[in-house]
Amino acid sequence: MIDICILGTCGMMPLPGRWLSCALVRNGSTLTLFDCGEGTQIPWKSLGWGFRQLGTICLSHMHADHVAGLPGVLFMVAHAGRTEPLHIYGPAGTSYIIEGLRRIAPELPYPIIIHEIKGYERFTLEGGLQATSAPAAHGIPCLAYRLDLARRPAFLAEKAKELGLPVQYWSKLQRGENIEYNGQDFHPAQVLGPPRRGISFAYITDTRPTNQLIELAQDVDLLLGESMYDTVDDLPLARTNAHMVSEETAGIAKAAGAHELVLTHFSPKIHDTRQAEKAARNVFPHTRAAKDGMVVTLDFPN
């Protein structure tokens, strides 16, 4: 199970009652942050999930509304007592920007490890989450991300009993380990069911629609996608500024076979997000507009 809190939903600048677009993912006791605009620590503090367990920050790109909140978050994590390394992933230029931001946060009780990636890369996060990146189309280096949480096959207790295996050996087989008992070797495949579908989440913002993004979001349980503009009348602006209107994001969700789309990263001029939601639903019915502080829980199917 993973919980996703949409800490803020605004693009470009924070507004009264609407913080900048970012998302916090909780997997067990581990936290992963996607983007970190100005003031990110404030709605996070209100959430009550704590700061110490932040293990990774994934940055889409280096515009201020996605990175300017880093010093405040780094201080909060330090104040919470973290000493373990904190990993930051981002596109080319991430190290340069973080070096500048760290000048006002020079001393921290934990090391920061920066990974500059180009897209089409896979890496493992704390807590067993598998991350995948893909390039986005925003005029500067920009990334979209996907998280997958695998599910172990079901343990077939009756099979284990038929093989005469004592209960104390079951957990090792369930974890995928081979065992030896009574002079015989036993393998997990002998007592495990077929593969089971895991759960997945995609984060796509500040981009024009591309086939790479559709591929990244294939069959995800949740696509958190931008809706900088809420009407096709703004399509020329979206093209000029390398953003999407809500219907284009819905088109990605539909083509990818996503299970749900949640719209975020709304322009400051959008005060009522229901129009974006309505327009997107014409393309992809399983759409809703995010609200600041919204939590979405993804669990394994029964």
Side-chain angles (χ1 to χ4, degrees):
M1 181 177 76
I2 60 176
D3 300 307
I4 301 153
C5 180
I6 302 159
L7 294 174
T9 61
C10 202
M12 293 180 61
M13 64 185 73
L15 296 175
R18 189 189 294 174
W19 294 101
L20 286 169
S21 180
C22 57
L24 187 64
V25 176
R26 179 172 64 180
N27 173 36
S29 61
T30 302
L31 298 174
T32 301
L33 179 66
F34 287 86
D35 282 337
C36 189
E38 179 184 350
T40 291
Q41 76 272 26
I42 300 172
W44 186 344
K45 182 73 172 178
S46 301
L47 180 64
W49 285 7
F51 289 85
R52 191 186 184 284
Q53 298 305 321
L54 180 68
T56 306
I57 300 174
C58 295
L59 299 172
S60 60
H61 63 295
M62 296 299 111
H63 282 158
D65 57 333
H66 294 260
V67 300
L70 275 169
V73 165
L74 297 179
F75 276 129
M76 290 297 286
V77 172
H79 183 70
R82 185 175 181 89
T83 56
E84 302 86 352
L86 174 66
H87 294 264
I88 299 179
Y89 290 84
T94 298
S95 296
Y96 174 76
I97 294 298
I98 292 178
E99 179 186 352
L101 293 170
R102 283 289 309 276
R103 293 185 181 182
I104 58 172
E107 296 183 10
L108 298 170
Y110 53 86
I112 291 179
I113 302 172
I114 300 172
H115 309 264
E116 291 195 356
I117 54 180
K118 297 180 180 178
Y120 306 118
E121 296 191 37
R122 293 175 64 85
F123 47 98
T124 301
L125 307 182
E126 289 185 20
L129 288 170
Q130 184 70 41
T132 308
S133 64
H138 193 49
I140 65 169
C142 186
L143 295 171
Y145 294 95
R146 174 188 178 124
L147 294 185
D148 285 275
L149 181 62
R151 188 180 190 186
R152 292 174 181 166
F155 182 78
L156 306 177
E158 291 303 317
K159 291 282 187 182
K161 291 176 183 176
E162 289 173 11
L163 293 169
L165 290 170
V167 173
Q168 60 263 35
Y169 291 100
W170 291 8
S171 60
K172 287 188 176 181
L173 289 164
Q174 200 167 10
R175 291 195 299 267
E177 300 175 23
N178 297 329
I179 66 163
E180 182 182 345
Y181 174 67
N182 272 353
Q184 287 184 276
D185 292 325
F186 295 92
H187 308 283
Q190 294 174 267
V191 293
L192 297 181
R196 296 191 289 183
R197 184 182 184 276
I199 50 180
S200 52
F201 157 70
Y203 179 82
I204 297 175
T205 188
D206 291 65
T207 182
R208 295 294 299 144
T210 69
N211 289 331
Q212 292 95 328
L213 299 177
I214 293 172
E215 181 180 347
L216 180 76
Q218 283 292 315
D219 195 36
V220 291
D221 293 282
L222 175 67
L223 168 56
L224 182 60
E226 74 151 293
S227 179
M228 188 66 175
Y229 303 104
D230 60 355
T231 170
V232 291
D233 293 339
D234 284 331
L235 192 53
L237 270 177
R239 289 170 175 156
T240 298
N241 297 323
H243 280 287
M244 291 190 287
V245 300
S246 58
E247 291 169 81
E248 290 179 306
T249 306
I252 291 176
K254 180 179 179 180
H259 294 213
E260 182 181 12
L261 169 63
V262 173
L263 298 172
T264 188
H265 199 280
F266 302 105
S267 166
K269 74 174 186 176
I270 298 175
H271 300 289
D272 185 349
T273 60
R274 287 177 294 182
Q275 181 169 329
E277 183 178 87
K278 181 179 178 181
R281 282 181 175 175
N282 289 331
V283 177
F284 184 73
H286 303 292
T287 299
R288 52 180 166 156
K291 292 180 172 58
D292 283 41
M294 174 191 287
V295 177
V296 180
T297 297
L298 303 179
D299 205 349
F300 297 120
N302 292 330

